[in-house]
Amino acid sequence: MLLQPSAINIRPESRTVLITGASTGIGQCCAITLAGQGFTVFAGVRNPEDADRLALFNPAIIPVLLDVTEPDSILEAQGRIQAMLPEGKGMNGLVNNAGIAVCGPLECVPIEDLRRQLEVNVVGPIAVTQAFLPLLRQERGRVVNMGSIAGLNALPFAGPYSASKFALESLTDALRVELQPWGIEVAIIEPGTIATPIWEKSLKATTEMYAQPESGATLSSLALYEPALDLIRKAALRSAQRGIPPEHVAQAVLHALCAPKPKTRYLVGKDAQLRRILRWVPDRLKDALITRKIGLPGKHSQSHST
Ligand code: NDP
């Protein structure tokens, strides 16, 4: 339900937060958790059906149409939210959660899809942050970015996604220091595998992406990767089945928004903790471990003609 700003009555003492990408998964779970903790939640969605569904969970969830890749959409959402806030009140939090996962061999990833990956996961969070910082500054609000363990450790065939999350790590580190003078805390959440629709969406999008005639130039090379891709699909499905519930991430977001001394980064899940250790493993050994774990072809296993 997309209510008119005039129909909304937010109590001046209520804490306010915007969550992008709140239609499903982690974003939806954060919206429900934070609303349950007394926040007024502006929940960013991209279509009215998701708005209707989300508004039913809790009257403190106020859906707002927001596509993080569209400057006009960001501007409009900012205007609507500002119009709903009580006079003189800013915002207490922004959770940059919206994200997609573009996967596939880097030799074959259509460049447009690589650009889209970076637009949604990297440029989007900064564009939204820029638009909302004046309101956050008013309340010494906090920024929470949804990173991933993939932003600390890249996995083969998830290069575009990992690149986006590595970029978000560095942007978060820079922003945290830049916003110190105003007491605006900035944190990044680094979840491992979480049970959300992103896995299915990514597998479906990857299949469709490579079935398109426009990506014809990349298709001839794609056949070379087919055996590896099959293993990757199976590995992705296995991890998706082992994913932990998004509530774990929502608790980390809650801490980052509310704790008197928030952490700068929050690893979520045992797999995230294990994969973090891989950062300190020498590259060649790490490559060998990953190759063996997934069952990928090793060095020189293909002849030059194939
Ligand atoms: P979901 O696919 O369930 O949620 C992604 C959300 O992002 C959806 O609400 C989607 O909206 C939204 N979105 C996509 N593109 C845009 C856009 N251009 N503008 C605004 N919103 C957009 O996946 P998750 O809940 O898993 O993902 C949420 C975040 O968590 C992502 O940043 C992801 O990278 C991160 N993450 C997830 C992990 C996991 O294992 N699930 C692990 C680590 C990090 P719509 O429904 O309209 O497409």
Side-chain angles (χ1 to χ4, degrees):
M1 219 176 328
L2 293 160
L3 295 171
Q4 286 308 312
S6 55
I8 308 276
N9 186 12
I10 297 173
R11 284 174 291 115
E13 69 279 12
S14 160
R15 288 172 297 174
T16 51
V17 62
L18 165 65
I19 305 171
T20 66
S23 67
T24 51
I26 292 171
Q28 174 179 293
C29 184
C30 287
I32 295 167
T33 303
L34 294 175
Q37 293 292 321
F39 275 87
T40 296
V41 178
F42 298 109
V45 293
R46 291 196 296 171
N47 64 66
E49 297 79 54
D50 286 325
D52 292 346
R53 196 175 40 76
L54 213 53
L56 297 176
F57 283 107
N58 189 320
I61 298 178
I62 304 171
V64 179
L65 286 182
L66 173 55
D67 185 322
V68 303
T69 63
E70 298 286 342
D72 289 348
S73 171
I74 297 174
L75 201 65
E76 203 171 308
Q78 196 271 355
R80 281 180 69 84
I81 289 174
Q82 191 159 19
M84 288 186 232
L85 292 169
E87 183 78 24
K89 185 169 164 54
M91 288 193 34
N92 303 94
L94 164 64
V95 182
N96 284 308
N97 166 75
I100 57 170
V102 174
C103 297
L106 285 167
E107 182 176 354
C108 313
V109 169
I111 291 304
E112 262 318 297
D113 291 285
L114 178 59
R115 288 209 174 93
R116 191 168 54 87
Q117 173 71 90
L118 299 175
E119 275 294 323
V120 177
N121 289 20
V122 182
V123 181
I126 295 303
V128 174
T129 303
Q130 287 181 352
F132 283 89
L133 266 175
L135 287 173
L136 291 164
R137 197 172 268 118
Q138 266 176 262
E139 303 292 332
R140 270 196 184 193
R142 295 182 180 181
V143 179
V144 181
N145 289 333
M146 196 55 66
S148 165
I149 190 60
L152 300 177
N153 263 129
L155 286 181
F157 306 104
Y161 181 67
S162 284
S164 74
K165 295 300 183 180
F166 267 76
L168 197 59
E169 288 282 334
S170 55
L171 292 171
T172 304
D173 283 340
L175 193 65
R176 193 175 61 247
V177 181
E178 289 174 16
L179 296 181
Q180 272 179 160
W182 297 278
I184 298 175
E185 295 280 358
V186 183
I188 186 158
I189 315 289
E190 299 162 337
T193 308
I194 311 297
T196 73
I198 201 169
W199 295 89
E200 207 183 306
K201 285 185 200 171
S202 172
L203 281 173
K204 186 166 173 272
T206 308
T207 310
E208 283 170 6
M209 186 163 75
Y210 294 115
Q212 283 165 12
E214 303 91 80
S215 50
T218 62
L219 281 179
S220 52
S221 339
L222 190 64
L224 299 175
Y225 293 96
E226 204 38 63
L229 282 177
D230 198 41
L231 290 165
I232 289 288
R233 276 186 212 110
K234 286 181 182 141
L237 284 172
R238 274 199 308 275
S239 5
Q241 280 158 4
R242 282 200 301 264
I244 59 172
E247 282 77 10
H248 293 266
V249 183
Q251 286 305 317
V253 169
L254 182 64
H255 192 277
L257 288 173
C258 300
K261 282 196 180 161
K263 298 200 248 176
T264 55
R265 1 183 75 77
Y266 292 79
L267 275 177
V268 180
K270 286 205 176 75
D271 60 333
Q273 316 225 346
L274 275 174
R275 273 178 68 185
R276 191 176 198 289
I277 297 170
L278 274 186
R279 262 168 88 84
W280 317 118
V281 173
D283 288 342
R284 300 285 184 201
L285 177 57
K286 185 167 60 184
D287 294 352
L289 288 172
I290 292 171
T291 301
R292 202 162 68 188
K293 172 94 180 138
I294 306 177
L296 293 172
K299 261 189 173 180
H300 311 301
S301 58
Q302 305 273 329
S303 75
H304 289 295
S305 58
T306 55

